[in-house]
Amino acid sequence: MKRILNTLYITNEDARLNKQGETVVVKIENEVKLRVPIHTIQSVICFGRVACSTPFLTFCASRNIQLCFLSRYGRFQARVAGPTQGNVLLRRAQYRCTDCAEITLAIARDVISAKIANSRTQLLRALRDRGENVQLSAAAETLRSCLRRARRCDELAQVRGVEGEAARAYFGAFDAIMTRTEPEFRFERRTRRPPKNPANALLSFLYALLLGDCVGALESVGLDPAVGYLHRERPGRPSAALDLCEEFRPVLADRVAFTLLNRKQLNPRDFSTDEAGAVLLSGDARKLVLIAWQQRKQEVIRHPYLDERMELGIVIHQQARLLAQRIRGELDAYPGFIWR
């Protein structure tokens, strides 16, 4: 089984990454701040204008270390990759499946069913912790109805329509899940590009981290992250990675967000607003979020389909493998990850 390694997050825009032997060296203003052996790293994620030397870039590519560049807002910009992993036969099968309406619909339906089920679990956990709440109960009932309909959809447009309805109900209950009373932490609705309040800024940041992990998982099993089923192809968009993200948004990203906010580990002073009206996490707050993200990924659960205990971070890779098996025809359906 794949072993979880460290992800190196670079949040200081004055940082420069270099190679020194078998070690990654991080410098700020020509002063060495960190040395990390390359064999302990699974990926490197850089936020903002982080500089990297050419030897470091080729070093990461040759060792199959995922190197991603995100904007200050956490939006994906680019990544460096070495030779294509996996065999051409799997990718050809992946491309053929996208041209088959029946397979495309089946995979999209399985993905969205898992997402809705996991979103409902998030609401039910909040109900269990907080007691009876009309808003949470109504949203959970809406998601139960959406889940039934999602499994019966016979067109891709219907799947997307049900997913949209479920998302509106789910995000509409966010304020009821959060226990914070400060007006700055009112969620109200999902806003992005740019996020307009602290809760949305935190979610966007976490979703960017999740997307990077999903891209790496798909590439590790030989799939093309750009060729999806629920999310159709668009130049520059990792559609298959966005598909894989869906079932993990409530389990990983949203759960971390609620934990940090409800435990008051983040406060209004940890966020700032730029000239364009975008709300951003401060540097220290990002480090806190990244630590919580890594800790969440290391939590051990029992995979409901494989019936094996594993870290949540590994579950992403296992789901990528199951998707590859579905595409090769080894499975009759894609078993989406259902959070218990």
Side-chain angles (χ1 to χ4, degrees), residues 298-313:
Q298 290 167 0
E299 291 184 21
V300 176
I301 57 98
R302 182 170 293 278
H303 194 290
Y305 179 77
L306 299 174
D307 195 27
E308 296 178 13
R309 289 178 61 79
M310 64 187 71
E311 296 98 334
L312 267 171

PDB file of all heavy atoms in Angstrom, residues 298-313:
ATOM      1  N   GLN A 298      -4.090  12.217   8.075  1.00  0.00           N
ATOM      2  CA  GLN A 298      -3.435  11.101   8.759  1.00  0.00           C
ATOM      3  C   GLN A 298      -4.384  10.324   9.664  1.00  0.00           C
ATOM      4  O   GLN A 298      -4.003   9.290  10.223  1.00  0.00           O
ATOM      5  CB  GLN A 298      -2.245  11.623   9.571  1.00  0.00           C
ATOM      6  CG  GLN A 298      -1.094  12.104   8.692  1.00  0.00           C
ATOM      7  CD  GLN A 298      -0.067  12.907   9.452  1.00  0.00           C
ATOM      8  OE1 GLN A 298      -0.205  13.116  10.660  1.00  0.00           O
ATOM      9  NE2 GLN A 298       0.955  13.373   8.755  1.00  0.00           N
ATOM     10  N   GLU A 299      -5.628  10.790   9.797  1.00  0.00           N
ATOM     11  CA  GLU A 299      -6.598  10.056  10.604  1.00  0.00           C
ATOM     12  C   GLU A 299      -6.937   8.725   9.935  1.00  0.00           C
ATOM     13  O   GLU A 299      -7.104   8.651   8.716  1.00  0.00           O
ATOM     14  CB  GLU A 299      -7.873  10.885  10.795  1.00  0.00           C
ATOM     15  CG  GLU A 299      -7.672  12.100  11.688  1.00  0.00           C
ATOM     16  CD  GLU A 299      -8.964  12.838  11.935  1.00  0.00           C
ATOM     17  OE1 GLU A 299     -10.049  12.237  11.765  1.00  0.00           O
ATOM     18  OE2 GLU A 299      -8.900  14.024  12.305  1.00  0.00           O
ATOM     19  N   VAL A 300      -7.020   7.678  10.732  1.00  0.00           N
ATOM     20  CA  VAL A 300      -7.243   6.322  10.207  1.00  0.00           C
ATOM     21  C   VAL A 300      -8.735   5.993  10.230  1.00  0.00           C
ATOM     22  O   VAL A 300      -9.418   6.201  11.239  1.00  0.00           O
ATOM     23  CB  VAL A 300      -6.451   5.293  11.028  1.00  0.00           C
ATOM     24  CG1 VAL A 300      -6.752   3.877  10.550  1.00  0.00           C
ATOM     25  CG2 VAL A 300      -4.953   5.584  10.935  1.00  0.00           C
ATOM     26  N   ILE A 301      -9.230   5.490   9.106  1.00  0.00           N
ATOM     27  CA  ILE A 301     -10.627   5.057   9.003  1.00  0.00           C
ATOM     28  C   ILE A 301     -10.655   3.668   8.354  1.00  0.00           C
ATOM     29  O   ILE A 301      -9.642   3.182   7.858  1.00  0.00           O
ATOM     30  CB  ILE A 301     -11.482   6.056   8.182  1.00  0.00           C
ATOM     31  CG1 ILE A 301     -10.892   6.241   6.779  1.00  0.00           C
ATOM     32  CG2 ILE A 301     -11.559   7.393   8.878  1.00  0.00           C
ATOM     33  CD1 ILE A 301     -11.516   5.435   5.703  1.00  0.00           C
ATOM     34  N   ARG A 302     -11.802   3.031   8.356  1.00  0.00           N
ATOM     35  CA  ARG A 302     -11.959   1.768   7.639  1.00  0.00           C
ATOM     36  C   ARG A 302     -12.644   2.042   6.316  1.00  0.00           C
ATOM     37  O   ARG A 302     -13.748   2.601   6.285  1.00  0.00           O
ATOM     38  CB  ARG A 302     -12.771   0.766   8.461  1.00  0.00           C
ATOM     39  CG  ARG A 302     -12.926  -0.603   7.761  1.00  0.00           C
ATOM     40  CD  ARG A 302     -13.517  -1.649   8.672  1.00  0.00           C
ATOM     41  NE  ARG A 302     -12.597  -1.980   9.740  1.00  0.00           N
ATOM     42  CZ  ARG A 302     -11.585  -2.843   9.616  1.00  0.00           C
ATOM     43  NH1 ARG A 302     -11.357  -3.443   8.457  1.00  0.00           N
ATOM     44  NH2 ARG A 302     -10.808  -3.095  10.654  1.00  0.00           N
ATOM     45  N   HIS A 303     -11.982   1.691   5.221  1.00  0.00           N
ATOM     46  CA  HIS A 303     -12.558   1.918   3.900  1.00  0.00           C
ATOM     47  C   HIS A 303     -13.792   1.027   3.735  1.00  0.00           C
ATOM     48  O   HIS A 303     -13.705  -0.197   3.883  1.00  0.00           O
ATOM     49  CB  HIS A 303     -11.525   1.596   2.817  1.00  0.00           C
ATOM     50  CG  HIS A 303     -11.890   2.104   1.462  1.00  0.00           C
ATOM     51  ND1 HIS A 303     -12.926   1.561   0.719  1.00  0.00           N
ATOM     52  CD2 HIS A 303     -11.381   3.128   0.722  1.00  0.00           C
ATOM     53  CE1 HIS A 303     -13.021   2.215  -0.428  1.00  0.00           C
ATOM     54  NE2 HIS A 303     -12.101   3.169  -0.452  1.00  0.00           N
ATOM     55  N   PRO A 304     -14.960   1.612   3.438  1.00  0.00           N
ATOM     56  CA  PRO A 304     -16.201   0.823   3.417  1.00  0.00           C
ATOM     57  C   PRO A 304     -16.260  -0.216   2.311  1.00  0.00           C
ATOM     58  O   PRO A 304     -16.935  -1.239   2.458  1.00  0.00           O
ATOM     59  CB  PRO A 304     -17.287   1.898   3.230  1.00  0.00           C
ATOM     60  CG  PRO A 304     -16.583   3.046   2.585  1.00  0.00           C
ATOM     61  CD  PRO A 304     -15.199   3.035   3.144  1.00  0.00           C
ATOM     62  N   TYR A 305     -15.559   0.007   1.205  1.00  0.00           N
ATOM     63  CA  TYR A 305     -15.596  -0.948   0.092  1.00  0.00           C
ATOM     64  C   TYR A 305     -14.482  -1.984   0.211  1.00  0.00           C
ATOM     65  O   TYR A 305     -14.714  -3.186   0.063  1.00  0.00           O
ATOM     66  CB  TYR A 305     -15.484  -0.203  -1.242  1.00  0.00           C
ATOM     67  CG  TYR A 305     -15.497  -1.127  -2.445  1.00  0.00           C
ATOM     68  CD1 TYR A 305     -16.685  -1.681  -2.896  1.00  0.00           C
ATOM     69  CD2 TYR A 305     -14.308  -1.440  -3.118  1.00  0.00           C
ATOM     70  CE1 TYR A 305     -16.693  -2.537  -4.007  1.00  0.00           C
ATOM     71  CE2 TYR A 305     -14.314  -2.292  -4.212  1.00  0.00           C
ATOM     72  CZ  TYR A 305     -15.509  -2.842  -4.651  1.00  0.00           C
ATOM     73  OH  TYR A 305     -15.512  -3.689  -5.734  1.00  0.00           O
ATOM     74  N   LEU A 306     -13.268  -1.531   0.524  1.00  0.00           N
ATOM     75  CA  LEU A 306     -12.126  -2.438   0.618  1.00  0.00           C
ATOM     76  C   LEU A 306     -12.063  -3.152   1.967  1.00  0.00           C
ATOM     77  O   LEU A 306     -11.346  -4.139   2.102  1.00  0.00           O
ATOM     78  CB  LEU A 306     -10.833  -1.660   0.378  1.00  0.00           C
ATOM     79  CG  LEU A 306     -10.709  -0.981  -0.988  1.00  0.00           C
ATOM     80  CD1 LEU A 306      -9.447  -0.128  -1.039  1.00  0.00           C
ATOM     81  CD2 LEU A 306     -10.707  -2.011  -2.116  1.00  0.00           C
ATOM     82  N   ASP A 307     -12.780  -2.603   2.947  1.00  0.00           N
ATOM     83  CA  ASP A 307     -12.794  -3.166   4.306  1.00  0.00           C
ATOM     84  C   ASP A 307     -11.376  -3.270   4.873  1.00  0.00           C
ATOM     85  O   ASP A 307     -10.993  -4.287   5.458  1.00  0.00           O
ATOM     86  CB  ASP A 307     -13.480  -4.535   4.319  1.00  0.00           C
ATOM     87  CG  ASP A 307     -13.841  -4.978   5.744  1.00  0.00           C
ATOM     88  OD1 ASP A 307     -14.046  -4.081   6.594  1.00  0.00           O
ATOM     89  OD2 ASP A 307     -13.888  -6.184   5.996  1.00  0.00           O
ATOM     90  N   GLU A 308     -10.601  -2.191   4.691  1.00  0.00           N
ATOM     91  CA  GLU A 308      -9.249  -2.107   5.234  1.00  0.00           C
ATOM     92  C   GLU A 308      -9.101  -0.797   5.981  1.00  0.00           C
ATOM     93  O   GLU A 308      -9.702   0.217   5.603  1.00  0.00           O
ATOM     94  CB  GLU A 308      -8.202  -2.162   4.116  1.00  0.00           C
ATOM     95  CG  GLU A 308      -8.154  -3.457   3.338  1.00  0.00           C
ATOM     96  CD  GLU A 308      -7.132  -3.402   2.216  1.00  0.00           C
ATOM     97  OE1 GLU A 308      -6.298  -2.464   2.205  1.00  0.00           O
ATOM     98  OE2 GLU A 308      -7.170  -4.288   1.340  1.00  0.00           O
ATOM     99  N   ARG A 309      -8.286  -0.816   7.033  1.00  0.00           N
ATOM    100  CA  ARG A 309      -7.994   0.412   7.757  1.00  0.00           C
ATOM    101  C   ARG A 309      -6.856   1.150   7.060  1.00  0.00           C
ATOM    102  O   ARG A 309      -5.848   0.533   6.687  1.00  0.00           O
ATOM    103  CB  ARG A 309      -7.614   0.110   9.209  1.00  0.00           C
ATOM    104  CG  ARG A 309      -8.804  -0.348  10.045  1.00  0.00           C
ATOM    105  CD  ARG A 309      -8.414  -0.689  11.463  1.00  0.00           C
ATOM    106  NE  ARG A 309      -7.860   0.463  12.170  1.00  0.00           N
ATOM    107  CZ  ARG A 309      -8.583   1.454  12.697  1.00  0.00           C
ATOM    108  NH1 ARG A 309      -9.902   1.434  12.599  1.00  0.00           N
ATOM    109  NH2 ARG A 309      -8.005   2.450  13.333  1.00  0.00           N
ATOM    110  N   MET A 310      -7.024   2.468   6.894  1.00  0.00           N
ATOM    111  CA  MET A 310      -6.018   3.280   6.207  1.00  0.00           C
ATOM    112  C   MET A 310      -6.208   4.748   6.552  1.00  0.00           C
ATOM    113  O   MET A 310      -7.276   5.165   7.025  1.00  0.00           O
ATOM    114  CB  MET A 310      -6.102   3.079   4.694  1.00  0.00           C
ATOM    115  CG  MET A 310      -7.415   3.537   4.073  1.00  0.00           C
ATOM    116  SD  MET A 310      -7.550   3.104   2.314  1.00  0.00           S
ATOM    117  CE  MET A 310      -7.761   1.323   2.407  1.00  0.00           C
ATOM    118  N   GLU A 311      -5.164   5.551   6.306  1.00  0.00           N
ATOM    119  CA  GLU A 311      -5.263   6.987   6.523  1.00  0.00           C
ATOM    120  C   GLU A 311      -6.176   7.611   5.470  1.00  0.00           C
ATOM    121  O   GLU A 311      -6.264   7.123   4.338  1.00  0.00           O
ATOM    122  CB  GLU A 311      -3.885   7.648   6.449  1.00  0.00           C
ATOM    123  CG  GLU A 311      -2.919   7.209   7.529  1.00  0.00           C
ATOM    124  CD  GLU A 311      -1.974   6.135   7.032  1.00  0.00           C
ATOM    125  OE1 GLU A 311      -2.344   5.403   6.089  1.00  0.00           O
ATOM    126  OE2 GLU A 311      -0.853   6.035   7.589  1.00  0.00           O
ATOM    127  N   LEU A 312      -6.846   8.698   5.848  1.00  0.00           N
ATOM    128  CA  LEU A 312      -7.734   9.385   4.902  1.00  0.00           C
ATOM    129  C   LEU A 312      -6.976   9.855   3.664  1.00  0.00           C
ATOM    130  O   LEU A 312      -7.520   9.863   2.560  1.00  0.00           O
ATOM    131  CB  LEU A 312      -8.405  10.579   5.589  1.00  0.00           C
ATOM    132  CG  LEU A 312      -9.769  10.318   6.227  1.00  0.00           C
ATOM    133  CD1 LEU A 312     -10.202  11.504   7.056  1.00  0.00           C
ATOM    134  CD2 LEU A 312     -10.815   9.996   5.160  1.00  0.00           C
ATOM    135  N   GLY A 313      -5.720  10.274   3.855  1.00  0.00           N
ATOM    136  CA  GLY A 313      -4.927  10.694   2.703  1.00  0.00           C
ATOM    137  C   GLY A 313      -4.710   9.579   1.707  1.00  0.00           C
ATOM    138  O   GLY A 313      -4.637   9.813   0.492  1.00  0.00           O
TER     139      GLY A 313
END
